[in-house]
Amino acid sequence: MQKRPAIEQSLQRLEEIVGQLGGENVSLDDSLALFAEGMKLSQQCMEQLDQAELVIEEHSVS
């Protein structure tokens, strides 16, 4: 089973992707690949944040 990167690593990679997409010398194919990678990382971050929120809510109710 492959472990997901920590949210900090994912956010750092997302920042890199945004920087690359803002560049002038990115081909359409590369742009599409970067966009797909960014969407996957974004979804993973949202899932991790949702899980963290559930843990916080569980501890707040106890």
Side-chain angles (χ1 to χ4, degrees), residues 27-57:
S27 70
L28 178 59
D29 287 340
D30 289 343
S31 293
L32 291 172
L34 287 167
F35 178 79
E37 181 185 357
M39 290 302 294
K40 181 178 177 181
L41 287 170
S42 175
Q43 181 64 36
Q44 290 174 354
C45 287
M46 291 301 297
E47 289 172 3
Q48 289 175 317
L49 289 172
D50 288 343
Q51 290 173 357
E53 184 178 12
L54 289 174
V55 169
I56 291 169
E57 288 176 1

